[in-house]
Short mmCIF file of all heavy atoms in Angstrom, two decimals:
data_model
loop_
_atom_site.label_atom_id
_atom_site.label_comp_id
_atom_site.label_asym_id
_atom_site.label_seq_id
_atom_site.Cartn_x
_atom_site.Cartn_y
_atom_site.Cartn_z
N LEU Q 7 124.47 107.18 76.99
CA LEU Q 7 124.93 105.84 77.33
C LEU Q 7 124.04 104.84 76.59
O LEU Q 7 122.82 104.82 76.78
CB LEU Q 7 124.82 105.61 78.84
CG LEU Q 7 125.31 104.24 79.34
CD1 LEU Q 7 126.84 104.13 79.21
CD2 LEU Q 7 124.88 104.03 80.80
N TYR Q 8 124.65 104.04 75.74
CA TYR Q 8 123.94 103.01 74.99
C TYR Q 8 124.19 101.66 75.66
O TYR Q 8 125.34 101.29 75.91
CB TYR Q 8 124.42 102.96 73.54
CG TYR Q 8 124.16 104.23 72.78
CD1 TYR Q 8 125.15 105.21 72.68
CD2 TYR Q 8 122.94 104.47 72.15
CE1 TYR Q 8 124.93 106.39 71.98
CE2 TYR Q 8 122.71 105.65 71.45
CZ TYR Q 8 123.71 106.61 71.37
OH TYR Q 8 123.48 107.78 70.68
N VAL Q 9 123.12 100.93 75.94
CA VAL Q 9 123.23 99.68 76.67
C VAL Q 9 122.47 98.57 75.95
O VAL Q 9 121.35 98.78 75.48
CB VAL Q 9 122.64 99.82 78.10
CG1 VAL Q 9 122.83 98.54 78.89
CG2 VAL Q 9 123.27 101.01 78.83
N ALA Q 10 123.08 97.39 75.88
CA ALA Q 10 122.42 96.20 75.33
C ALA Q 10 122.47 95.11 76.40
O ALA Q 10 123.47 94.98 77.11
CB ALA Q 10 123.14 95.72 74.07
N ASN Q 11 121.38 94.34 76.51
CA ASN Q 11 121.32 93.35 77.59
C ASN Q 11 120.57 92.09 77.19
O ASN Q 11 119.53 92.15 76.55
CB ASN Q 11 120.65 93.96 78.82
CG ASN Q 11 120.65 93.03 80.00
OD1 ASN Q 11 121.71 92.65 80.48
ND2 ASN Q 11 119.48 92.64 80.47
N ILE Q 12 121.15 90.94 77.59
CA ILE Q 12 120.50 89.63 77.48
C ILE Q 12 120.81 88.87 78.76
O ILE Q 12 121.98 88.69 79.08
CB ILE Q 12 121.01 88.81 76.28
CG1 ILE Q 12 120.90 89.60 74.98
CG2 ILE Q 12 120.26 87.48 76.16
CD1 ILE Q 12 122.20 90.18 74.53
N GLY Q 13 119.79 88.44 79.49
CA GLY Q 13 120.03 87.68 80.71
C GLY Q 13 119.87 88.52 81.96
O GLY Q 13 119.16 89.52 81.97
N ASP Q 14 120.56 88.11 83.03
CA ASP Q 14 120.38 88.80 84.32
C ASP Q 14 121.63 89.51 84.83
O ASP Q 14 121.66 89.91 86.00
CB ASP Q 14 119.84 87.84 85.38
CG ASP Q 14 120.79 86.69 85.69
OD1 ASP Q 14 121.82 86.56 84.99
OD2 ASP Q 14 120.51 85.92 86.62
N SER Q 15 122.66 89.64 83.99
CA SER Q 15 123.75 90.55 84.37
C SER Q 15 123.19 91.97 84.24
O SER Q 15 122.32 92.21 83.41
CB SER Q 15 124.97 90.34 83.47
OG SER Q 15 125.54 89.07 83.72
N ARG Q 16 123.70 92.89 85.03
CA ARG Q 16 123.03 94.19 85.15
C ARG Q 16 123.92 95.39 84.86
O ARG Q 16 125.14 95.31 84.98
CB ARG Q 16 122.48 94.35 86.57
CG ARG Q 16 121.38 93.38 86.94
CD ARG Q 16 120.91 93.60 88.36
NE ARG Q 16 119.78 92.72 88.70
CZ ARG Q 16 119.19 92.69 89.88
NH1 ARG Q 16 119.61 93.51 90.84
NH2 ARG Q 16 118.19 91.87 90.11
N LEU Q 17 123.25 96.49 84.52
CA LEU Q 17 123.89 97.80 84.47
C LEU Q 17 123.07 98.75 85.32
O LEU Q 17 121.85 98.83 85.18
CB LEU Q 17 124.01 98.32 83.04
CG LEU Q 17 124.75 99.67 82.91
CD1 LEU Q 17 125.58 99.72 81.62
CD2 LEU Q 17 123.80 100.86 82.95
N TYR Q 18 123.77 99.44 86.23
CA TYR Q 18 123.15 100.46 87.08
C TYR Q 18 123.76 101.82 86.74
O TYR Q 18 124.92 101.91 86.31
CB TYR Q 18 123.47 100.20 88.55
CG TYR Q 18 122.92 98.95 89.16
CD1 TYR Q 18 123.64 97.76 89.13
CD2 TYR Q 18 121.70 98.95 89.84
CE1 TYR Q 18 123.17 96.61 89.74
CE2 TYR Q 18 121.22 97.79 90.45
CZ TYR Q 18 121.96 96.63 90.39
OH TYR Q 18 121.49 95.49 91.01
N LEU Q 19 122.97 102.87 86.98
CA LEU Q 19 123.48 104.24 86.88
C LEU Q 19 123.40 104.87 88.26
O LEU Q 19 122.34 104.89 88.89
CB LEU Q 19 122.64 105.04 85.88
CG LEU Q 19 123.16 106.45 85.55
CD1 LEU Q 19 124.50 106.39 84.83
CD2 LEU Q 19 122.14 107.21 84.70
N TYR Q 20 124.55 105.35 88.73
CA TYR Q 20 124.61 106.03 90.02
C TYR Q 20 124.66 107.53 89.76
O TYR Q 20 125.53 108.01 89.03
CB TYR Q 20 125.86 105.60 90.79
CG TYR Q 20 126.09 106.39 92.07
CD1 TYR Q 20 125.45 106.04 93.25
CD2 TYR Q 20 126.95 107.48 92.08
CE1 TYR Q 20 125.65 106.77 94.42
CE2 TYR Q 20 127.17 108.21 93.24
CZ TYR Q 20 126.51 107.86 94.40
OH TYR Q 20 126.72 108.58 95.55
N ARG Q 21 123.71 108.26 90.35
CA ARG Q 21 123.64 109.71 90.15
C ARG Q 21 123.10 110.39 91.41
O ARG Q 21 122.03 110.03 91.91
CB ARG Q 21 122.73 110.04 88.96
CG ARG Q 21 122.49 111.54 88.75
CD ARG Q 21 121.56 111.78 87.58
NE ARG Q 21 122.18 111.40 86.32
CZ ARG Q 21 121.50 111.22 85.18
NH1 ARG Q 21 120.19 111.37 85.17
NH2 ARG Q 21 122.15 110.88 84.07
N GLY Q 22 123.86 111.35 91.90
CA GLY Q 22 123.40 112.15 93.03
C GLY Q 22 123.00 111.35 94.25
O GLY Q 22 121.98 111.64 94.89
N GLY Q 23 123.77 110.32 94.56
CA GLY Q 23 123.48 109.52 95.74
C GLY Q 23 122.43 108.45 95.55
O GLY Q 23 122.07 107.75 96.50
N GLN Q 24 121.92 108.29 94.32
CA GLN Q 24 120.90 107.28 94.04
C GLN Q 24 121.41 106.28 93.01
O GLN Q 24 122.07 106.64 92.04
CB GLN Q 24 119.63 107.95 93.49
CG GLN Q 24 119.01 108.98 94.42
CD GLN Q 24 118.44 108.36 95.67
OE1 GLN Q 24 117.84 107.29 95.64
NE2 GLN Q 24 118.63 109.03 96.81
N LEU Q 25 121.08 105.01 93.23
CA LEU Q 25 121.46 103.94 92.30
C LEU Q 25 120.20 103.43 91.62
O LEU Q 25 119.23 103.05 92.28
CB LEU Q 25 122.15 102.81 93.06
CG LEU Q 25 122.79 101.70 92.21
CD1 LEU Q 25 123.97 102.25 91.40
CD2 LEU Q 25 123.26 100.55 93.11
N ARG Q 26 120.23 103.40 90.29
CA ARG Q 26 119.05 102.96 89.52
C ARG Q 26 119.44 101.87 88.53
O ARG Q 26 120.39 102.02 87.77
CB ARG Q 26 118.46 104.17 88.78
CG ARG Q 26 117.26 103.86 87.91
CD ARG Q 26 116.53 105.13 87.53
NE ARG Q 26 117.40 106.11 86.90
CZ ARG Q 26 117.51 106.27 85.57
NH1 ARG Q 26 116.82 105.50 84.75
NH2 ARG Q 26 118.31 107.19 85.08
N GLN Q 27 118.72 100.77 88.57
CA GLN Q 27 118.98 99.69 87.62
C GLN Q 27 118.40 100.07 86.26
O GLN Q 27 117.21 100.36 86.15
CB GLN Q 27 118.38 98.38 88.10
CG GLN Q 27 118.70 97.20 87.18
CD GLN Q 27 118.09 95.89 87.66
OE1 GLN Q 27 117.75 95.74 88.83
NE2 GLN Q 27 117.95 94.93 86.76
N ILE Q 28 119.25 100.09 85.24
CA ILE Q 28 118.82 100.44 83.88
C ILE Q 28 118.31 99.22 83.14
O ILE Q 28 117.28 99.27 82.47
CB ILE Q 28 119.98 101.10 83.10
CG1 ILE Q 28 120.50 102.35 83.85
CG2 ILE Q 28 119.55 101.44 81.68
CD1 ILE Q 28 119.48 103.43 84.07
N THR Q 29 119.04 98.13 83.21
CA THR Q 29 118.64 96.90 82.52
C THR Q 29 117.50 96.22 83.26
O THR Q 29 117.26 96.47 84.44
CB THR Q 29 119.83 95.93 82.41
OG1 THR Q 29 120.38 95.72 83.72
CG2 THR Q 29 120.90 96.50 81.50
N ARG Q 30 116.81 95.32 82.55
CA ARG Q 30 115.76 94.50 83.15
C ARG Q 30 116.19 93.04 83.08
O ARG Q 30 116.58 92.55 82.02
CB ARG Q 30 114.43 94.69 82.42
CG ARG Q 30 113.79 96.04 82.62
CD ARG Q 30 112.35 96.06 82.09
NE ARG Q 30 112.32 95.81 80.65
CZ ARG Q 30 112.37 96.78 79.73
NH1 ARG Q 30 112.46 98.04 80.10
NH2 ARG Q 30 112.32 96.49 78.45
N ASP Q 31 116.12 92.36 84.21
CA ASP Q 31 116.54 90.95 84.23
C ASP Q 31 115.62 90.09 83.38
O ASP Q 31 114.39 90.19 83.48
CB ASP Q 31 116.49 90.41 85.66
CG ASP Q 31 117.49 91.08 86.59
OD1 ASP Q 31 118.30 91.89 86.10
OD2 ASP Q 31 117.47 90.77 87.79
N HIS Q 32 116.20 89.22 82.59
CA HIS Q 32 115.44 88.20 81.87
C HIS Q 32 115.48 86.94 82.73
O HIS Q 32 116.29 86.04 82.51
CB HIS Q 32 116.04 87.95 80.48
CG HIS Q 32 116.09 89.19 79.65
ND1 HIS Q 32 117.20 89.59 78.97
CD2 HIS Q 32 115.15 90.14 79.42
CE1 HIS Q 32 116.95 90.72 78.34
NE2 HIS Q 32 115.71 91.08 78.61
N SER Q 33 114.61 86.90 83.72
CA SER Q 33 114.61 85.79 84.67
C SER Q 33 113.18 85.38 84.98
O SER Q 33 112.23 86.17 84.85
CB SER Q 33 115.32 86.20 85.96
OG SER Q 33 114.63 87.25 86.61
N TYR Q 34 113.04 84.15 85.41
CA TYR Q 34 111.73 83.60 85.75
C TYR Q 34 111.05 84.45 86.84
O TYR Q 34 109.88 84.79 86.73
CB TYR Q 34 111.90 82.16 86.22
CG TYR Q 34 110.66 81.58 86.86
CD1 TYR Q 34 109.59 81.15 86.09
CD2 TYR Q 34 110.56 81.47 88.26
CE1 TYR Q 34 108.44 80.62 86.68
CE2 TYR Q 34 109.42 80.95 88.85
CZ TYR Q 34 108.37 80.53 88.07
OH TYR Q 34 107.24 80.03 88.65
N VAL Q 35 111.82 84.80 87.86
CA VAL Q 35 111.20 85.52 88.99
C VAL Q 35 110.74 86.92 88.59
O VAL Q 35 109.68 87.38 89.05
CB VAL Q 35 112.15 85.59 90.21
CG1 VAL Q 35 112.35 84.20 90.80
CG2 VAL Q 35 113.48 86.23 89.86
N GLU Q 36 111.50 87.59 87.74
CA GLU Q 36 111.09 88.93 87.32
C GLU Q 36 109.86 88.88 86.43
O GLU Q 36 109.02 89.78 86.46
CB GLU Q 36 112.24 89.65 86.61
CG GLU Q 36 113.31 90.17 87.56
CD GLU Q 36 112.77 91.18 88.58
OE1 GLU Q 36 111.90 91.99 88.23
OE2 GLU Q 36 113.20 91.13 89.75
N GLU Q 37 109.74 87.82 85.65
CA GLU Q 37 108.53 87.65 84.84
C GLU Q 37 107.31 87.42 85.74
O GLU Q 37 106.23 87.94 85.49
CB GLU Q 37 108.70 86.48 83.86
CG GLU Q 37 109.67 86.79 82.72
CD GLU Q 37 109.72 85.67 81.69
OE1 GLU Q 37 108.97 84.68 81.83
OE2 GLU Q 37 110.53 85.80 80.75
N MET Q 38 107.51 86.64 86.80
CA MET Q 38 106.43 86.40 87.75
C MET Q 38 106.04 87.68 88.49
O MET Q 38 104.86 87.94 88.73
CB MET Q 38 106.83 85.31 88.75
CG MET Q 38 106.98 83.93 88.18
SD MET Q 38 105.43 83.26 87.48
CE MET Q 38 105.70 83.55 85.73
N VAL Q 39 107.04 88.48 88.86
CA VAL Q 39 106.77 89.76 89.53
C VAL Q 39 105.96 90.67 88.61
O VAL Q 39 104.99 91.31 89.03
CB VAL Q 39 108.10 90.45 89.94
CG1 VAL Q 39 107.84 91.89 90.37
CG2 VAL Q 39 108.77 89.68 91.07
N ALA Q 40 106.37 90.73 87.32
CA ALA Q 40 105.67 91.58 86.34
C ALA Q 40 104.21 91.16 86.17
O ALA Q 40 103.33 91.99 85.92
CB ALA Q 40 106.40 91.53 85.01
N LYS Q 41 103.94 89.86 86.32
CA LYS Q 41 102.57 89.35 86.18
C LYS Q 41 101.78 89.45 87.49
O LYS Q 41 100.61 89.09 87.54
CB LYS Q 41 102.61 87.88 85.73
CG LYS Q 41 103.13 87.68 84.32
CD LYS Q 41 103.25 86.20 84.00
CE LYS Q 41 103.82 85.97 82.62
NZ LYS Q 41 104.00 84.53 82.32
N GLY Q 42 102.44 89.90 88.55
CA GLY Q 42 101.78 90.01 89.84
C GLY Q 42 101.63 88.68 90.55
O GLY Q 42 100.81 88.54 91.46
N GLN Q 43 102.42 87.67 90.14
CA GLN Q 43 102.30 86.33 90.71
C GLN Q 43 103.39 86.00 91.72
O GLN Q 43 103.45 84.89 92.23
CB GLN Q 43 102.30 85.30 89.57
CG GLN Q 43 101.12 85.44 88.64
CD GLN Q 43 101.18 84.48 87.45
OE1 GLN Q 43 101.99 83.56 87.43
NE2 GLN Q 43 100.32 84.70 86.47
N MET Q 44 104.25 86.96 92.00
CA MET Q 44 105.32 86.74 92.96
C MET Q 44 105.78 88.08 93.52
O MET Q 44 105.77 89.08 92.80
CB MET Q 44 106.50 86.00 92.30
CG MET Q 44 107.61 85.60 93.25
SD MET Q 44 108.98 84.74 92.37
CE MET Q 44 108.20 83.17 91.99
N GLU Q 45 106.16 88.08 94.77
CA GLU Q 45 106.69 89.31 95.38
C GLU Q 45 108.21 89.30 95.32
O GLU Q 45 108.85 88.29 95.63
CB GLU Q 45 106.24 89.41 96.84
CG GLU Q 45 104.79 89.76 97.00
CD GLU Q 45 104.43 90.04 98.45
OE1 GLU Q 45 105.35 90.34 99.25
OE2 GLU Q 45 103.25 89.94 98.79
N ARG Q 46 108.77 90.44 94.90
CA ARG Q 46 110.23 90.55 94.83
C ARG Q 46 110.82 90.36 96.23
O ARG Q 46 110.33 90.90 97.20
CB ARG Q 46 110.64 91.89 94.23
CG ARG Q 46 112.13 91.99 93.95
CD ARG Q 46 112.51 93.28 93.25
NE ARG Q 46 112.17 93.21 91.82
CZ ARG Q 46 111.20 93.92 91.26
NH1 ARG Q 46 110.47 94.75 91.99
NH2 ARG Q 46 110.95 93.81 89.98
N ASN Q 47 111.89 89.57 96.29
CA ASN Q 47 112.63 89.27 97.54
C ASN Q 47 111.86 88.37 98.51
O ASN Q 47 112.28 88.22 99.66
CB ASN Q 47 113.06 90.56 98.25
CG ASN Q 47 114.07 91.35 97.43
OD1 ASN Q 47 114.94 90.76 96.77
ND2 ASN Q 47 113.96 92.66 97.45
N SER Q 48 110.78 87.76 98.05
CA SER Q 48 110.09 86.76 98.87
C SER Q 48 110.92 85.48 98.89
O SER Q 48 111.91 85.35 98.17
CB SER Q 48 108.70 86.46 98.29
OG SER Q 48 108.84 85.87 97.00
N THR Q 49 110.50 84.52 99.70
CA THR Q 49 111.23 83.25 99.78
C THR Q 49 111.24 82.54 98.43
O THR Q 49 112.27 82.03 97.98
CB THR Q 49 110.58 82.32 100.84
OG1 THR Q 49 110.60 82.99 102.10
CG2 THR Q 49 111.34 81.02 100.94
#
């Protein structure tokens, strides 16, 4: 499966009862999470 991504639309792969996000969001909040400056799903 070849995937290309720009932005925060997503592609997931569902396998054996598990859902895994393949793409990475290009968003302010995800950048902050990656830097350890914000918690995912916080207010």
